[in-house]
Amino acid sequence: MSYKKAQKIYADVINEIKESGLYKDEYIITSPQGGEISVQFPQGSINKNVLNFCSNNYLGLASHKDVIAAAKNGLDNYGFGLSSVRFICGTQDLHKKLEEQVSSFLGKEDTILFSSCFDANAAIFEVLLNEEDAIFSDQLVHASIIDGERLAKKVERLIYPHSDMVELEKMLANSNSRIKMIVTDGVFSMDGDMAKLDEIVTLAEKYEALVFVDDSHATGLIGNTGRGTPEYFNVIDKVDIISTTFGKALGGANGGCISGKKEIISLLRQRARPYLFSNTLMPAVVSATIKVLEIIDKDFTLKEKLIRMSEYWRASLINLGFDIKNGNTPIIPVMLYDAKLAQDFARELFNEGVYVRGFFYPVVAQGQARIRTQISASLTEEDLEKALFAFKKVGIKLGVIK
Ligand SMILES: *Cc1c(COP(=O)(O)O)cnc(C)c1O
């Protein structure tokens, strides 16, 4: 009865989203994640096998047999769940082992696990900063960082234009704040470019600021040994805090963490609300993530294949005449600028057996609609050729290329 009024309000909003062409339908996958997946779209239609160019499964570890075996091991030896937060009775030796392993992989003193990187980012700023402090944040940081900054209500928040080091320096120079923290993504998820960490750490030293990097799209794949953007820019020791996810290259299940100086991690264990009030990570996920780190710590073949294929894919799309954002990561956006065109393009490609998604406002700025392609080591070179053929066909059909 009382729902009537609210129902109309919600239904109107949904209609508005639909009428503006921004409604997001979910495609239903009926196979494990991988380079080739089985998808139903629209819902209930027959399964169609498509090449997957839109997952964050960069290294193809989501369905790796050793990772699955490690998850089963975790299940057999540590149970399904712990029914507790960490500080009550939710910490197993497995959780401590993963924390140590992440610290050593990222070259940091200590690590704290969260249920997701979203939670990690939501937690951190409120704990480490107060009204005497200031955040200097890139304009394009991930939504979870923005939410975390919002939760730190008393902290001054300055936003610099994307990767604009001149503006960042001006802001730092004008600030009298006690703790200054520069906050950035390592790899920006929509554009596929990297933060200028070399310049950022130089500014941080000059103005005595801390550096926080969310390396969710970089851990495991960027840098000579996959340590992420700090390794790529050779500034591992100069990045104070890293947050990252286990839900992308590192097996793709879920979970996230913050790595950094030991006082920072200790304080987070005392005060971080998503750590204190949300359940511990599932043991099977922890066990599998430990295996992932073992694999990528010594075997760079998947990473090298990924980088090689990404370079080839980028160069080939440019060759076909597409407008590609500059960058050198496996995130390769094909710029179309128009939201409807991006959706049509994605649909046509799906019909050709290539699964990509169109991105448009509010996920990217107005007039910046695009198809974001992402390369995975689970794709083969032959898959890339097939997909290039489809991109060419659809590109010509929709008048995007000649
Ligand atoms: C994906 C992503 C997150 C969220 O990670 P989850 O573990 O899925 O919550 C946070 N930050 C960035 C930059 C991301 O790309």
Side-chain angles (χ1 to χ4, degrees), residues 20-320:
S20 59
L22 302 177
Y23 194 80
K24 291 182 276 300
D25 283 304
E26 293 182 356
Y27 289 50
I28 304 209
I29 300 175
T30 54
S31 66
Q33 189 59 279
E36 188 172 340
I37 52 175
S38 169
V39 175
Q40 291 180 347
F41 189 80
Q43 203 169 330
S45 68
I46 53 161
N47 293 336
K48 183 177 168 69
N49 280 359
V50 290
L51 298 175
N52 187 2
F53 280 76
C54 54
S55 85
N56 301 312
N57 182 25
Y58 294 114
L59 300 172
L61 293 172
S63 306
H64 189 288
K65 66 175 186 356
D66 295 348
V67 176
I68 294 169
K72 286 182 178 162
N73 247 325
L75 207 48
D76 288 342
N77 297 321
Y78 288 86
F80 177 64
L82 282 174
S83 302
S84 173
V85 298
R86 284 287 296 277
F87 85 95
I88 299 180
C89 55
T91 302
Q92 291 170 319
D93 51 352
L94 213 53
H95 296 83
K96 295 312 287 181
K97 182 171 175 201
L98 177 58
E99 287 178 340
E100 279 163 29
Q101 216 176 345
V102 172
S103 304
S104 121
F105 186 77
L106 294 177
K108 295 283 164 266
E109 289 176 7
D110 199 2
T111 296
I112 175 173
L113 304 180
F114 288 88
S115 305
S116 68
C117 187
F118 200 109
D119 275 351
N121 291 340
I124 185 169
F125 305 109
E126 185 184 32
V127 174
L128 298 185
L129 306 169
N130 71 22
E131 62 275 5
E132 296 174 78
D133 308 320
I135 290 169
F136 302 80
S137 191
D138 190 285
Q139 174 197 4
L140 292 188
V141 293
H142 191 261
S144 54
I145 294 180
I146 296 173
D147 283 10
E149 292 172 353
R150 282 183 186 151
L151 285 170
K153 289 189 279 292
K154 297 178 196 145
V155 183
E156 186 186 10
R157 180 163 163 244
L158 298 135
I159 295 167
Y160 59 91
H162 179 49
S163 282
D164 187 334
M165 296 296 112
V166 176
E167 280 305 311
L168 172 58
E169 173 151 27
K170 274 190 208 153
M171 289 173 178
L172 288 166
N174 286 332
S175 169
N176 301 317
S177 294
R178 184 187 63 168
I179 298 176
K180 305 183 182 96
M181 189 186 287
I182 304 172
V183 173
T184 183
D185 290 12
V187 169
F188 291 89
S189 56
M190 286 300 139
D191 289 14
D193 58 332
M194 289 189 220
K196 298 172 180 164
L197 280 192
D198 46 350
E199 295 180 51
I200 286 177
V201 300
T202 305
L203 290 178
E205 280 181 347
K206 184 164 169 195
Y207 296 99
E208 296 190 310
L210 296 178
V211 178
F212 168 97
V213 177
D214 177 344
D215 234 7
S216 289
H217 280 283
T219 306
L221 55 135
I222 301 293
N224 274 339
T225 65
R227 265 76 179 154
T229 52
E231 180 182 37
Y232 182 91
F233 288 103
N234 201 14
V235 295
I236 289 184
D237 293 341
K238 294 178 179 163
V239 172
D240 303 285
I241 309 163
I242 293 177
S243 72
T244 193
T245 182
F246 308 138
K248 291 187 169 112
L250 305 186
N254 43 36
C257 63
I258 295 172
S259 275
K261 299 277 190 261
K262 60 180 191 299
E263 296 79 9
I264 288 177
I265 304 306
S266 296
L267 193 54
L268 286 167
R269 284 192 210 282
Q270 299 307 310
R271 298 251 170 98
R273 292 167 65 82
Y275 185 80
L276 295 174
F277 299 107
S278 184
N279 214 9
T280 196
L281 262 187
M282 179 188 189
V285 169
V286 177
S287 172
T289 308
I290 288 172
K291 175 55 74 179
V292 166
L293 286 171
E294 273 169 30
I295 295 173
I296 65 174
D297 201 25
K298 42 182 190 287
D299 181 0
F300 307 133
T301 50
L302 288 171
K303 186 194 105 63
E304 280 159 8
K305 179 184 178 200
L306 172 69
I307 298 301
R308 195 173 62 243
M309 294 212 307
S310 301
E311 281 168 5
Y312 177 74
W313 177 249
R314 177 182 294 278
S316 304
L317 287 175
I318 292 171
N319 236 338
L320 286 176

Side-chain angles (χ1 to χ4, degrees), residues 1-10:
M1 199 58 183
S2 52
Y3 182 54
K4 271 260 155 63
K5 191 171 154 196
Q7 183 178 32
K8 171 146 186 358
I9 295 172
Y10 299 145

